[in-house]
Amino acid sequence: MIARAPYLFLLLILVPDLYLDLHYWRHRFAQQRRLLYWLPTVIQLVLTVILTYETHFIPDNITLLYIYLLMMGLITAPKWAYMLCSAAGLALYKARHLHSKKTEKKRKNYGNLVGIAATMLIWYVVLYGAFVGFEKLEVNHQTYTSPDIPKAFDGYKIVLFSDAHVGTMSGNRQWLLQRAVDTMNAQHADMIVFTGDLQNIQPEELLEHKQLLSSLKAKDGVYSVLGNHDYDKYLHSGEEHHQVQRLPELIRLEKQMGWQLLQNEHRTISRGGQHITIAGMENDGDGHKFPQLGNIRKTLAHTNGFIIMLEHEPASWRRTTVPDGRAQLTLSGHTHDMQFRLLGWSPMDMLNIEWNGWYTEGKQSLFVTAGLGGLIPFRFGATGEIVVLKLKKVKR
């Protein structure tokens, strides 16, 4: 992760300290105290260099990455906020031409006060998100209505979860996954579906949780698709032999857990002589940053009637599923609701993309879940969720 843009991280760490030292520390503190203020920055710089030489996108010692990102949130981000507010306040002061000797002694940079307030807010967001918000879980009840739903499936209950990232729920966090599994089983669903990103980077992460995940039960079974993290894209390119072995290992583990992994294929669920189709595409990303392996023609070959499509990346819905026109309902994840909302607002609200909740195009609908976990153990205002979705038949 850090190795992809080490100079950017170095600049992010250094710039605010240079500003603070230039404007405050060197004028107010002795050299020894100035060095003390620089110490956290030196530690971050050393960690940046260490992480730059990690061969994988996610280091084997993921705790080191968590410590590094926590320091970025508690030290670097507040310093940037204070620096920007302080610089803005200083510029505003100069713009008002308040430079007379009489007012010079009384001048105040009110941007500093705003910067202090911003620092306190960032500390709250980071600490709450890392130690409280990530441990929260919501059960999100939704209803999907359509005249195309067969009468025998009116009231059919589907439990949807996504983006488990079980590697983040290892050790003393496994209780989070246990709670999620217990909650899903308590719904007594007709079907459980998982829309990808079971692991962070490698299938070995599943071994600790294999028995627990195998205990997921639904009348018609558990169905899953692969997400971008379930492939080998985030492993070092020099380990081709190991990469070839890792994806089949993940597939083998999912099947051993009793899950029906859909790789550009579908299954038919029958009730009282009527049926619905549950289909699943492989990850259908941009082909550069995220794998593009989806094949909708293969996935929906010889299908008809009411179709539920599982696809990890919601961007694929408008690009692939809508033009095809056959799948009435698509379920996705991937976005995690950005794991951040402040007073109900998320930066992703500014983007014209499908990233959370319901979207409709003609007779086709998409639901994007906020997901269960995350690579980084942090959530603020975008709580992890399990979705309980009921199908309801309506008249045309």
Side-chain angles (χ1 to χ4, degrees):
M1 178 185 292
I2 310 303
R4 291 190 175 185
Y7 297 113
L8 173 61
F9 281 92
L10 291 173
L11 284 174
L12 287 173
I13 294 167
L14 278 172
V15 169
D17 270 29
L18 291 173
Y19 175 88
L20 292 171
D21 190 68
L22 178 65
H23 287 270
Y24 300 103
W25 297 344
R26 70 172 184 171
H27 300 299
R28 300 182 181 183
F29 307 126
Q31 186 173 2
Q32 289 184 339
R33 191 169 178 183
R34 284 175 64 193
L35 292 175
L36 186 63
Y37 278 106
W38 273 94
L39 182 60
T41 299
V42 173
I43 294 173
Q44 286 180 275
L45 293 175
V46 171
L47 288 176
T48 301
V49 173
I50 293 173
L51 291 170
T52 296
Y53 288 95
E54 284 287 343
T55 57
H56 296 159
F57 180 77
I58 309 301
D60 292 331
N61 183 5
I62 199 168
T63 301
L64 184 64
L65 177 63
Y66 292 160
I67 292 171
Y68 180 81
L69 294 177
L70 188 63
M71 292 182 72
M72 292 290 288
L74 293 176
I75 299 173
T76 303
K79 284 180 179 179
W80 267 95
Y82 185 88
M83 178 188 73
L84 293 174
C85 292
S86 176
L90 187 61
L92 182 62
Y93 173 83
K94 291 181 178 180
R96 292 179 177 178
H97 305 289
L98 300 177
H99 296 292
S100 66
K101 291 183 179 180
K102 182 177 180 180
T103 59
E104 186 69 23
K105 294 181 180 180
K106 297 181 180 181
R107 75 169 186 171
K108 285 187 177 180
N109 183 348
Y110 291 101
N112 292 345
L113 298 178
V114 178
I116 292 172
T119 295
M120 300 295 288
L121 176 62
I122 292 172
W123 283 345
Y124 171 73
V125 168
V126 172
L127 291 172
Y128 181 92
F131 298 104
V132 180
F134 188 74
E135 297 185 354
K136 288 183 172 293
L137 177 67
E138 291 181 351
V139 178
N140 183 358
H141 291 271
Q142 297 288 333
T143 300
Y144 172 78
T145 61
S146 171
D148 296 328
I149 297 171
K151 187 176 180 179
F153 289 87
D154 187 21
Y156 194 82
K157 185 190 290 187
I158 300 171
V159 166
L160 161 67
F161 74 116
S162 187
D163 303 278
H165 290 275
V166 297
T168 310
M169 296 186 181
S170 297
N172 60 5
R173 288 200 188 97
Q174 195 189 37
W175 69 271
L176 297 171
L177 190 59
Q178 178 73 64
R179 179 184 61 182
V181 169
D182 291 343
T183 302
M184 285 187 275
N185 283 335
Q187 306 305 317
H188 303 291
D190 294 294
M191 177 190 294
I192 296 176
V193 297
F194 176 73
T195 54
D197 277 6
L198 186 57
Q199 64 184 28
N200 282 338
I201 188 171
Q202 49 194 348
E204 286 82 357
E205 300 165 17
L206 273 68
L207 298 178
E208 178 183 352
H209 312 291
K210 181 181 173 183
Q211 183 176 356
L212 175 58
L213 292 170
S214 300
S215 68
L216 278 173
K217 302 297 179 184
K219 296 175 184 176
D220 293 321
V222 180
Y223 297 84
S224 65
V225 292
L226 298 171
N228 54 293
H229 276 267
D230 296 323
Y231 295 89
D232 299 322
K233 184 175 179 61
Y234 299 101
L235 295 174
H236 188 261
S237 58
E239 297 185 358
E240 287 87 355
H241 175 68
H242 296 291
Q243 290 187 36
V244 169
Q245 295 179 340
R246 281 185 170 115
L247 180 57
E249 175 66 7
L250 173 64
I251 293 170
R252 185 182 67 84
L253 287 171
E254 285 204 32
K255 291 181 178 179
Q256 285 183 351
M257 294 187 309
W259 295 16
Q260 296 196 48
L261 178 62
L262 302 175
Q263 295 179 268
N264 291 328
E265 53 191 328
H266 64 270
R267 300 286 185 273
T268 300
I269 309 297
S270 299
R271 289 280 175 89
Q274 298 179 320
H275 73 273
I276 62 174
T277 297
I278 179 72
M281 277 206 298
E282 292 210 46
N283 195 83
D284 191 39
D286 56 14
H288 301 288
K289 188 176 181 182
F290 303 116
Q292 189 177 61
L293 301 171
N295 185 330
I296 196 165
R297 290 186 179 181
K298 181 181 178 182
T299 303
L300 299 182
H302 311 296
T303 59
N304 58 65
F306 185 75
I307 299 171
I308 301 172
M309 173 71 79
L310 306 182
E311 166 52 39
H312 181 64
E313 295 200 31
S316 174
W317 178 68
R318 195 171 296 279
R319 182 179 64 247
T320 304
T321 309
V322 170
D324 178 84
R326 283 179 285 177
Q328 292 92 334
L329 175 61
T330 299
L331 305 176
S332 293
H334 182 59
T335 64
H336 301 206
D337 198 8
M338 202 179 175
Q339 296 180 220
F340 175 81
R341 279 183 178 268
L342 185 61
L343 302 176
W345 174 84
S346 169
M348 292 191 78
D349 287 332
M350 298 183 294
L351 304 177
N352 186 29
I353 61 172
E354 294 79 26
W355 65 280
N356 186 253
W358 285 104
Y359 302 88
T360 301
E361 190 70 38
K363 295 182 179 181
Q364 295 177 273
S365 296
L366 166 71
F367 183 82
V368 185
T369 174
L372 181 62
L375 170 64
I376 307 303
F378 173 91
R379 280 185 181 263
F380 184 92
T383 305
E385 68 177 12
I386 291 162
V387 180
V388 180
L389 176 64
K390 280 192 176 183
L391 305 183
K392 182 175 178 60
K393 182 176 179 62
V394 295
K395 295 181 180 181
R396 292 187 184 276

